[in-house]
Amino acid sequence: MTGFAPLEIHITPGEHPTREWFGLTVNIDTVISTVVAGAIVLLLGFLVRRMLTRETADHVPTKLQIIWESVVGEVNKQVEDNLGKVHPFVAPLAISLFFFILIANWLELVPSEFGPGRLHALPAPTSDTNLTYAMAIFAVVSVWVFGIRTKGFKGYFSHFVQPYPVLLPLNVLEELVKPVTLALRLFGNIFAGGIMLALIAAIPWYAGMPIANVLWKLFDMAIGGLQAFIFALLTVLYFAMAGAGHDDHEEHETPPVTDPTDQQREAHEKQPVPAA
Amino acid sequence: MIPLEKTNNFLVPNGTFWVELIAFAIMFYILAKYIVPPINRAMTARQDAIRKQFTDLDQAKADAQSAEEEFRAQIADARHEAARIREEAREQGAAIIAEMREQAQAEASRIVEHAHSQLEADRQQAVTSLRAEVGSLATDLAGRIVGEALEDQARQSRVVDRFLADLEAQESAQEPVK
């Protein structure tokens, strides 16, 4: 307990307990919380998988099913709108990114600081650039591979000199900046949220720390969801840009297909969500 | 206790990067292989089920409509049938009444005919007996008045016949007047 007034505010942003694995310096707390977040995602995933395979007569989905299915349906729709079809690699990637980042962000809300050095056992792994860089590079390298495989080596790289060859440096720069912006946007938001929590924890309780804490955590939840959504959406959009081509005509050739089946599906999906 | 490293720029990735990359790749692989496909399948299955229910509903509606139409047609048929039977019954009744009336008429005319012939026979009988008695009676009376006995049978009958003939002639002369 901090007593009535904090004598000092002990915040060490960006410092991690480390271990040496195979000659690499590893932030052990990030690794642990990554494993925890991944385990939660996979647990929820396998739970929903078990619910799905269970045969029910009335086809009424459970709440967990509705959460997964609304996310999967929404991502599928986004991917279909932007890529023209539900791509078997892009859609699962966006789903994985969304759920993993969401759970990872929300780990920040778990009060898990203890010990004499105020060791944070479960910091949000997304407040470590190592994870955000890893995910962003995974996503952007996938985008590059997707672009080259869709349009061919020449077709993909020719768009770097479009519409004018003089823009080549800018185009290359844009491509290289993509993973950095993806990674640092997510990192910055979640890292700042963690610092805010640490600062709020230093407020004396009689000055309203619990209220501020609850309010900020609610707000941080919203930020966490928003950042997860943005990361996944931008990844899909990068795939769309890589696949769509250098001139705008190709994009209009394949408008988002909305046949009655899709509308029916959407109407059906939207209906049960408020009941959750 | 885990030592905290003090000299670390948190914007520069360290070895954790590779661990995180591998961890994310593994999680993505498991999700993409084992979790997302069943969800997609379940969603399409549910959509199919809903679509099937919709078509079933349409089918049931159409069935109900056709059944109702059939029912209405049968009702109309039954009404027609009833009307036809009523009409037939009315016609039959009228026919029976007419037949009965005819029979009664025939019976009545038969009775009348019978009465006529009876009358005729009675009259004939009366005429015959009259002719037998009136002759002798008249001759008796005439004999007494004239004093001449008309015993002669032949003459007697001749006189009577002439008288009767006169009488009949008189009658037939008077008949058209009547």
Side-chain angles (χ1 to χ4, degrees):
Chain A
M1 291 301 288
T2 49
F4 287 103
L7 295 175
E8 55 164 347
I9 298 175
H10 183 74
I11 301 173
T12 54
E15 285 189 6
H16 299 277
T18 56
R19 291 278 177 84
E20 297 290 326
W21 287 355
F22 309 109
L24 295 168
T25 310
V26 172
N27 301 338
I28 194 72
D29 56 346
T30 306
V31 172
I32 291 171
S33 50
T34 301
V35 170
V36 170
I40 292 173
V41 171
L42 290 179
L43 178 73
L44 293 177
F46 279 105
L47 273 178
V48 85
R49 183 186 146 97
R50 211 184 63 185
M51 289 170 184
L52 286 169
T53 46
R54 197 166 45 207
E55 202 45 57
T56 51
D58 49 1
H59 292 279
V60 172
T62 60
K63 287 175 185 173
L64 184 60
Q65 246 176 296
I66 290 168
I67 294 169
W68 273 92
E69 285 182 13
S70 49
V71 170
V72 170
E74 195 58 41
V75 169
N76 282 349
K77 194 164 88 66
Q78 278 295 342
V79 172
E80 198 174 358
D81 285 356
N82 287 297
L83 268 70
K85 63 166 185 150
V86 181
H87 195 277
F89 179 84
V90 178
L93 178 61
I95 293 162
S96 308
L97 283 170
F98 177 80
F99 266 112
F100 178 63
I101 295 172
L102 186 74
I103 300 295
N105 290 349
W106 285 356
L107 279 186
E108 185 73 60
L109 308 174
V110 179
S112 58
E113 285 183 312
F114 52 84
R118 309 288 293 165
L119 174 67
H120 200 165
L122 276 182
T126 40
S127 64
D128 186 337
T129 45
N130 286 298
L131 173 60
T132 58
Y133 281 142
M135 287 191 301
I137 285 174
F138 188 94
V140 172
V141 169
S142 305
V143 167
W144 293 340
V145 171
F146 171 81
I148 291 169
R149 282 178 64 171
T150 310
K151 306 199 312 189
F153 197 79
K154 223 180 136 192
Y156 180 71
F157 284 103
S158 70
H159 93 265
F160 283 104
V161 290
Q162 296 286 344
Y164 308 109
V166 76
L167 292 178
L168 174 67
L170 274 181
N171 283 331
V172 172
L173 190 62
E174 186 195 357
E175 209 57 45
L176 293 178
V177 155
K178 272 177 187 173
V180 179
T181 57
L182 268 182
L184 291 187
R185 179 187 305 108
L186 176 59
F187 161 75
N189 274 279
I190 306 310
F191 186 65
I195 291 178
M196 278 297 292
L197 279 177
L199 287 174
I200 287 168
I203 300 173
W205 65 268
Y206 50 81
M209 187 282 267
I211 297 169
N213 194 33
V214 166
L215 285 179
W216 177 256
K217 281 193 172 179
L218 285 174
F219 186 60
D220 214 25
M221 277 185 81
I223 290 178
L226 189 66
Q227 290 305 320
F229 170 72
I230 287 173
F231 200 110
L233 180 69
L234 280 174
T235 304
V236 173
L237 290 181
Y238 290 158
F239 273 103
M241 281 160 70
H246 35 75
D247 51 348
D248 291 330
H249 301 297
E250 281 186 17
E251 267 183 308
H252 296 299
E253 273 173 11
T254 53
V257 197
T258 51
D259 57 345
T261 320
D262 277 346
Q263 287 168 0
Q264 203 177 8
R265 186 190 68 197
E266 283 169 43
H268 166 64
E269 276 167 2
K270 275 170 189 157
Q271 216 171 3
V273 169
Chain B
M1 194 191 139
I2 300 156
L4 295 172
E5 196 176 339
K6 299 285 180 189
T7 57
N8 188 13
N9 182 353
F10 55 75
L11 287 180
V12 177
N14 58 13
T16 320
F17 173 83
W18 299 107
V19 180
E20 299 293 330
L21 191 63
I22 293 163
F24 179 75
I26 292 170
M27 196 204 62
F28 165 59
Y29 176 77
I30 295 173
L31 277 180
K33 190 151 172 67
Y34 296 108
I35 311 240
V36 175
I39 293 175
N40 280 327
R41 269 201 301 277
M43 279 163 62
T44 22
R46 188 161 334 104
Q47 284 157 31
D48 287 349
I50 287 166
R51 210 169 297 135
K52 190 176 164 299
Q53 278 173 357
F54 267 114
T55 51
D56 283 359
L57 190 69
D58 285 348
Q59 182 63 38
K61 221 187 275 181
D63 282 357
Q65 213 145 26
S66 70
E68 195 189 341
E69 270 165 23
E70 199 178 334
F71 166 75
R72 280 185 200 289
Q74 278 179 357
I75 285 278
D77 271 7
R79 286 226 178 87
H80 265 109
E81 185 72 12
R84 198 181 58 74
I85 289 169
R86 251 201 316 273
E87 194 60 35
E88 219 174 67
R90 196 177 293 137
E91 275 170 16
Q92 253 174 18
I96 289 169
I97 288 171
E99 195 183 345
M100 294 303 271
R101 186 171 290 155
E102 207 169 306
Q103 270 181 14
Q105 209 103 43
E107 184 73 8
S109 54
R110 199 182 53 77
I111 290 167
V112 168
E113 193 63 35
H114 184 71
H116 272 307
S117 56
Q118 188 68 38
L119 267 171
E120 187 60 30
D122 284 357
R123 182 174 157 272
Q124 209 65 45
Q125 202 180 349
V127 167
T128 314
S129 64
L130 208 63
R131 188 167 295 183
E133 281 173 31
V134 165
S136 58
L137 203 64
T139 43
D140 260 9
L141 283 171
R144 247 176 251 163
I145 295 163
V146 179
E148 176 190 9
L150 292 173
E151 284 97 16
D152 185 3
Q153 192 65 39
R155 195 184 296 163
Q156 189 180 350
S157 60
R158 220 168 31 239
V159 169
V160 171
D161 281 346
R162 194 176 60 230
F163 170 72
L164 282 176
D166 284 353
L167 213 62
E168 277 180 356
Q170 210 172 352
E171 247 180 26
S172 58
Q174 277 171 351
E175 201 131 336
V177 179
K178 195 175 69 180

